[in-house]
Amino acid sequence: MAALQRIETPRLILRRWLRSDREPFAAMNADPEVMRYFPAALDRSTSDGLADRLDAGFDLHGHGRWALERRDTGEFIGFTGLGPMPPDVPGSGGMEIGWRVARAHWRQGFAIEAATAALDAAFAPDAASASDPDAAPAALQEVNSITAVINEPSRAVMRRLGMRHIDDFAHPVVPDGSPIRAHVRYVLTRDEWMRWRVRTPRSDVPPRVRARG
């Protein structure tokens, strides 16, 4: 898949990470509500290291988890994008879509808007291929998403994207007895996405995104 450095949607810019993103990213990762369905909140050093790894995915894999910037305010509000599935879970070896949005920007449809753009990049990396599914031989054929069983907000985003609940499993890095050890996996194929995009024209999920390599 071609390396897409920047994608624009009606309200967001998905882009490579900047050093100025680190402070708001660390604040987001220290928020117990944002990190409710993760093993722990992150300190500044761990958060900075995560930002570096997320951005490095673009150089390693040709895609990664884009930093999200609001077009109206220029604020960094989180990330959305693609990365390898964790080892030792169902779907290991495949690709995963994930997202995290700062609490001040919840319930405004930003996660679904950004995830839609990310899936367009995954399944139709050439902008012209959005109307011709056979024109993108480098496109991914399947994307996964995993979360804790009790993380209903993220599961709702997965369902809105047309993903199917396919597996339940115990996450190997989450301790026994933790309420977030039980996880679910959702899957979406390229064919399903192309059909879903035709059926689901909405103002918050634009039928096309403008992508720049």
Side-chain angles (χ1 to χ4, degrees), residues 17-27 44 47-49 51-52:
W17 291 69
L18 305 174
R19 184 159 292 272
S20 59
D21 297 331
R22 290 186 172 206
E23 184 173 348
F25 187 50
R44 177 61 187 266
S47 178
D48 287 352
D52 291 341

Side-chain angles (χ1 to χ4, degrees), residues 102-124:
R103 182 161 32 138
H105 306 278
W106 287 359
R107 301 182 183 88
Q108 299 180 59
F110 290 125
I112 190 76
E113 183 171 331
T116 297
L119 288 169
D120 278 343
F123 291 130

Side-chain angles (χ1 to χ4, degrees), residues 47-71:
S47 178
D48 287 352
L50 176 59
D52 291 341
R53 291 194 302 276
L54 295 180
D55 189 66
F58 292 93
D59 299 319
L60 292 172
H61 309 294
H63 48 77
R65 289 177 170 90
W66 292 270
L68 300 181
E69 178 182 317
R70 286 186 62 149
R71 295 180 66 171

